[in-house]
Amino acid sequence: MSSTTGQFLIQRPRFNHVFLQNNSFHIPKRVQFSVLPQCSYIPVPLSSVSQFRGSKFLECKCASEKVSESFERDPGQEFEPEPNQIVKQKKASIVDILKQSNSILPHVVLASTIMALVYPPSFTWFTSRYYAPALGFLMFAVGVNSSEKDFIEAFKRPDAIFTGYVGQFVVKPLLGYIFGIIAVTVFGLPTPLGAGIMLVSCVSGAQLSNYATFLTDPPLAPLSIVMTSLSTATAVFVTPMLSLLLIGKRLPVDVVGMVSSILQIVIAPITAGLLLNRLFPRLCEAMRPFLPPLSVLDTACCVGAPLAININSVLSPFGLTVSLLIVAFHLSAFIAGYFLSGSLFHKAPDVKALQRTLSFETGMQSSLLALALANRFFQDPLVSVPPAISTVIMSLMGFALVMIWAKKKE
């Protein structure tokens, strides 16, 4: 009803009378509406409403023939949308496809692993000098999709940060020591291979864990970044002590190099993404659909390149046994992180999201750092075999969990 004109607006049907019973429209069963391409409404003055047997009788006069003809359509004519509507639909579908690129990440990681094994030159061009900018791009994508408030909220959860740190530098080294001993005593592998497994467990968290958390639980990505940054910053002291305790050899980690790595890979890209999101939100909105497919290609290179470069070590006579031990090590770390956080934060409203986040933090570590330390400070090349295999296994298992948990959330 229009308050300014005092009129009812009703849709024109194929009949001349409509009854209002109990303040609602009543249409006889014998009357049928016609399906019109566009709805048209006929103003009816309130004065035309009269009482009829306790019901309100509303008489609607049909429109003129000219108006009536405008409602009739040629039976052979088909409705065609406007050209600009088609363009908008196509653009929307392309944007949706780009945004959903992350869903194929586990398949792309698996494909890059197979390609690196079958044809190593496909990834050997992606040398270690590209690792820092490649991982930095992933952190930039996280920054663009976050805000400074998210990181402020992350620092308000010191208990979760401390739990992630314990999982990174207590639970995981203990598991690494166990599987290193099993490799030597049970499977009879050379001692350097057992030392390589232990070395993998001594390094800090992986930046890929931040990206994995971002894919499954975006609100907790800043918390994951804080945990990884803390473990990386303190790894300059903790990793040498753990290596001395577990392996019996103190590794002189390059402190300046570690700090520079943190700045390049974590702090600078995330800060740039946050500032861009704050100062130029429209630009970020235009960029966001293209970040997922680029991040997928970036991750594929970060996984396939270490495997292709160290293909000889992976395909060595001990490769299969070491691979199974690395799978068992990472699987145990993922499970330990998941249930440790579940037992400590079972009353938290986001306990499931916390469990996934801390599982990634415990199960994924910087195997590239372990590989660099093995090549630099150990004379025996066998020490570098477990870190090279861990780089691939960790990524495959981590992003497989991303796919599984993302489907469960849906």
Side-chain angles (χ1 to χ4, degrees):
M1 175 179 179
S2 175
S3 60
T4 58
T5 60
Q7 294 178 338
F8 280 109
L9 297 180
I10 63 173
Q11 187 175 348
R12 186 180 77 83
R14 288 183 179 174
F15 56 89
N16 292 332
H17 297 87
V18 180
F19 293 97
L20 278 175
Q21 292 182 347
N22 299 325
N23 295 326
S24 61
F25 282 105
H26 173 68
I27 304 171
K29 293 183 179 180
R30 66 178 180 274
V31 180
Q32 299 294 330
F33 279 98
S34 61
V35 180
L36 302 179
Q38 296 179 346
C39 293
S40 178
Y41 298 91
I42 305 172
V44 181
L46 285 174
S47 57
S48 63
V49 179
S50 61
Q51 296 293 330
F52 182 75
R53 290 188 181 180
S55 301
K56 294 181 180 179
F57 176 79
L58 184 62
E59 179 175 329
C60 306
K61 295 184 178 180
C62 296
S64 63
E65 291 298 326
K66 183 181 293 187
V67 176
S68 178
E69 289 177 359
S70 66
F71 286 100
E72 299 297 333
R73 295 181 55 195
D74 185 1
Q77 182 182 0
E78 295 182 357
F79 175 72
E80 295 182 358
E82 296 294 331
N84 58 346
Q85 293 178 352
I86 299 176
V87 174
K88 288 181 180 179
Q89 290 177 358
K90 288 184 178 179
K91 287 184 178 179
S93 62
I94 293 174
V95 170
D96 291 339
I97 292 173
L98 291 175
K99 288 182 178 179
Q100 296 298 323
S101 300
N102 289 328
S103 62
I104 64 171
L105 181 58
H107 307 86
V108 174
V109 170
L110 179 60
S112 64
T113 302
I114 297 174
M115 186 175 293
L117 289 171
V118 176
Y119 188 66
S122 58
F123 286 102
T124 51
W125 60 272
F126 197 85
T127 57
S128 58
R129 65 177 179 175
Y130 297 117
Y131 292 163
L135 294 174
F137 176 78
L138 296 179
M139 295 298 99
F140 172 77
V142 174
V144 168
N145 288 276
S146 304
S147 66
E148 61 274 11
K149 294 180 181 179
D150 298 329
F151 288 90
I152 294 175
E153 291 296 323
F155 280 105
K156 294 180 180 179
R157 309 185 75 165
D159 50 352
I161 296 174
F162 179 75
T163 303
Y165 195 84
V166 170
Q168 194 67 245
F169 282 133
V170 176
V171 176
K172 190 175 64 180
L174 181 61
L175 292 173
Y177 180 78
I178 293 173
F179 283 100
I181 295 297
I182 291 175
V184 176
T185 58
V186 177
F187 292 95
L189 297 178
T191 301
L193 291 175
I197 296 175
M198 296 179 189
L199 180 61
V200 169
S201 67
C202 294
V203 294
S204 57
Q207 281 74 31
L208 285 179
S209 66
N210 308 148
Y211 188 55
T213 300
F214 171 72
L215 295 178
T216 54
D217 301 284
L220 291 186
L223 179 63
S224 175
I225 292 170
V226 170
M227 286 190 277
T228 302
S229 301
L230 180 62
S231 67
T232 305
T234 57
V236 296
F237 310 107
V238 179
T239 296
M241 289 189 296
L242 287 174
S243 63
L244 178 63
L245 179 64
L246 300 183
I247 306 174
K249 182 174 182 178
R250 187 177 180 85
L251 303 179
V253 179
D254 184 6
V255 177
V256 177
M258 291 282 286
V259 174
S260 176
S261 176
I262 297 172
L263 290 174
Q264 293 179 34
I265 297 176
V266 181
I267 297 178
I270 289 177
T271 303
L274 290 174
L275 288 176
L276 197 66
N277 193 19
R278 181 68 178 271
L279 300 177
F280 305 100
R282 292 186 179 180
L283 178 60
C284 288
E285 190 67 26
M287 290 172 52
R288 286 191 183 103
F290 300 96
L291 292 178
L294 292 176
S295 299
V296 169
L297 294 176
D298 190 341
T299 306
C301 291
C302 291
V303 173
L307 177 60
I309 294 172
N310 299 276
I311 191 66
N312 293 329
S313 299
V314 175
L315 297 180
S316 63
F318 309 107
L320 179 59
T321 306
V322 174
S323 297
L324 294 176
L325 288 170
I326 291 294
V327 168
F329 163 70
H330 284 292
L331 181 61
S332 302
F334 280 119
I335 294 174
Y338 188 85
F339 285 103
L340 174 64
S341 55
S343 61
L344 294 177
F345 303 104
H346 61 278
K347 294 183 179 180
D350 56 348
V351 58
K352 289 298 181 182
L354 267 177
Q355 285 184 279
R356 290 188 287 265
T357 300
L358 290 171
S359 178
F360 286 133
E361 287 300 312
T362 308
M364 304 178 75
Q365 70 287 315
S366 183
S367 300
L368 292 175
L369 175 60
L371 182 61
L373 294 175
N375 291 329
R376 184 173 180 180
F377 299 111
F378 288 88
Q379 296 181 352
D380 197 320
L382 290 179
V383 180
S384 63
V385 174
I389 296 176
S390 173
T391 303
V392 180
I393 297 298
M394 172 199 69
S395 303
L396 286 175
M397 296 181 69
F399 290 113
L401 286 175
V402 168
M403 183 175 62
I404 293 172
W405 282 333
K407 286 187 176 180
K408 283 188 176 181
K409 288 180 64 177
E410 292 175 0

